[in-house]
Amino acid sequence: MYRGLKVCLAALMAAWLGMPVVRAQPQGPAREIIPLTGDLYRARNGNWYTIFLVTPDGIILGDPINPAFATWLKGELATRFKVPVRYVVYSHSHFDHAAGGSVFADTARFVGHERMLRNLDGRYPHMPGDMVDRNNNGAIDPDEIDIPTKAAPGVCGMGPGFFGSIDLNKDGLVPPAELQTDIRRPDIVYSERMRISLGGRTVELIYPGLNHSDDATVMLFPAERVVFATEFLADALVRNNPRSLPSTCSAFDRHPLAEWIRSYRTVEALDFDRVAPGHGDVFDKPVVTETREYFEYLVAEVSAGIRSGRPLAELLKTITLDRYKGWANYERLRSMNVEAAYFNLTRYR
Ligand SMILES: [Zn+2]
């Protein structure tokens, strides 16, 4: 939901566009295992990343991402480490990170924030980007994919052909269960914090608040001083420069900007050095603070604009966010940030 959709939309779009091609081109998305520190590793599927910690008693894994990747990863882990996956921890429920867990069901338990159960119970789930139930029929219609795709291609919508790829029975409608066919529900949930201990090692799970999703988990590896989170510490559009304006779909995913800021502060309060994000390169903790400061600046600027009574069209021109001109995606996303903040601050207080 690219996060942003911050779904990670650009990444999503590329991946979904690539899906039919994968069958014709055996190489598929780039996959690799990347050492982080000690027994902690990232694993990559194109621009999607997960994380895992190897202990003498088994592996604690982050997102399974999708069935093909999970199958590949399971083989790699068996060959390299010779211990089974004991836990799968979901970063959030969005379909592009949470699918494929069943591959590990013979040895693993599945852990997620408690709101994942609501998002996987057959009702319309929280979706990445601007994919929302526009006609309130409880199912995903072609329009609900195509409207955001055309309005903000690669940012808040999927690529052309995406709907067809999720409409497995080709009846023109995708009930949530059809989209979530490959997502295995968590069998352990928590509300605020949880600790997993295995083989003498620990991983802390933290619910940060509402942001890109409503059921996020941040994984903290205390001994390794690394945090894993997807799409809200770094936007899904981010590749190698983590200092980026965020994508702003659904006016920041219909979650109050105060909650976004709270989410960043929750992570800032943790003791760690590096973030291994679900998309893009590893970055250092100070970027978390800088991004939270960006959100605060955006809120201050747009709040002042709202108080001035000037119309949105004027604010879009005059709120230039000059301080962030050097950040990635400034030209592409500045006015979208101002508009989204305007709607967020007036609708989601
Ligand atoms: Zn997402």
Side-chain angles (χ1 to χ4, degrees):
M1 130 69 334
Y2 81 198
R3 265 147 73 218
L5 164 76
K6 267 173 160 229
V7 169
C8 355
L9 286 181
L12 268 179
M13 190 165 91
W16 285 103
L17 282 171
M19 277 194 73
V21 179
V22 167
R23 290 188 196 103
Q25 298 177 349
Q27 67 269 27
R31 288 176 182 151
E32 60 182 321
I33 288 174
I34 305 161
L36 271 170
T37 179
D39 299 310
L40 187 64
Y41 299 81
R42 303 180 90 189
R44 172 188 178 203
N45 187 57
N47 190 38
W48 276 252
Y49 291 85
T50 186
I51 196 161
F52 64 88
L53 179 68
V54 182
T55 86
D57 294 343
I59 290 170
I60 302 168
L61 172 66
D63 292 317
I65 302 182
N66 66 45
F69 171 76
T71 301
W72 171 84
L73 181 62
K74 187 176 185 178
E76 292 289 313
L77 296 178
T79 305
R80 295 184 189 213
F81 303 108
K82 315 215 183 311
V83 287
V85 172
R86 291 295 184 199
Y87 292 94
V88 172
V89 179
Y90 292 116
S91 69
H92 63 310
S93 62
H94 292 164
F95 56 88
D96 62 314
H97 294 268
S102 293
V103 167
F104 302 105
D106 55 341
T107 59
R109 305 183 76 186
F110 296 79
V111 187
H113 183 260
E114 62 184 1
R115 207 173 278 114
M116 276 192 78
L117 297 177
R118 155 66 184 89
N119 280 317
L120 297 171
D121 72 358
R123 286 177 284 172
Y124 206 100
H126 185 275
M127 293 274 278
D130 199 18
M131 292 179 268
V132 292
D133 193 5
R134 288 171 157 76
N135 62 0
N136 289 305
N137 69 345
I140 300 154
D141 304 89
D143 267 3
E144 291 162 11
I145 301 298
D146 292 345
I147 290 173
T149 292
K150 288 172 184 156
V155 178
C156 294
M158 307 298 293
F162 173 73
F163 185 86
S165 75
I166 59 172
D167 185 14
L168 304 177
N169 64 359
K170 304 299 170 199
D171 67 350
L173 198 67
V174 176
E178 193 171 13
L179 175 72
Q180 297 169 339
T181 298
D182 293 322
I183 302 179
R184 187 185 170 96
R185 285 192 209 181
D187 40 50
I188 302 169
V189 295
Y190 74 99
S191 57
E192 294 297 326
R193 297 216 174 201
M194 178 175 161
R195 172 176 296 164
I196 296 176
S197 298
L198 181 71
R201 314 296 285 275
T202 57
V203 180
E204 306 279 349
L205 312 187
I206 297 103
Y207 169 69
L210 300 170
N211 44 70
H212 160 79
S213 66
D214 64 7
D215 54 11
T217 289
V218 173
M219 296 175 82
L220 168 66
F221 299 87
E224 292 76 16
R225 304 189 59 77
V226 169
V227 150
F228 174 75
T230 301
E231 281 149 283
F232 86 91
L233 290 177
D235 192 83
L237 296 175
V238 165
R239 292 293 180 276
N240 52 13
N241 180 3
R243 292 173 180 85
S244 170
L245 266 63
S247 46
T248 57
C249 317
S250 284
F252 294 104
D253 300 283
R254 306 174 296 289
H255 294 145
L257 280 163
E259 275 285 313
W260 280 80
I261 290 166
R262 174 168 88 97
S263 295
Y264 279 87
R265 287 194 183 279
T266 301
V267 175
E268 287 178 77
L270 304 175
D271 189 18
F272 68 99
D273 295 326
R274 291 186 293 165
V275 177
H279 302 281
D281 294 347
V282 172
F283 57 87
D284 293 334
K285 185 179 184 183
V287 175
V288 178
T289 300
E290 291 175 42
T291 307
R292 185 257 304 160
E293 289 168 349
Y294 169 78
F295 275 102
E296 290 176 339
Y297 178 71
L298 177 68
V299 167
E301 292 285 294
V302 176
S303 295
I306 292 169
R307 279 195 304 274
S308 75
R310 287 178 290 141
L312 174 60
E314 193 183 325
L315 299 181
L316 291 177
K317 289 183 198 139
T318 56
I319 300 179
T320 56
L321 307 177
D322 267 354
R323 197 182 291 177
Y324 292 91
K325 259 188 175 151
W327 279 31
N329 293 304
Y330 173 85
E331 298 291 340
R332 181 186 189 187
L333 298 178
R334 182 206 52 90
S335 67
M336 287 171 70
N337 270 240
V338 173
E339 182 176 46
Y342 180 93
F343 288 129
N344 187 288
L345 292 165
T346 51
R347 289 176 187 168
Y348 304 124
R349 277 179 182 282

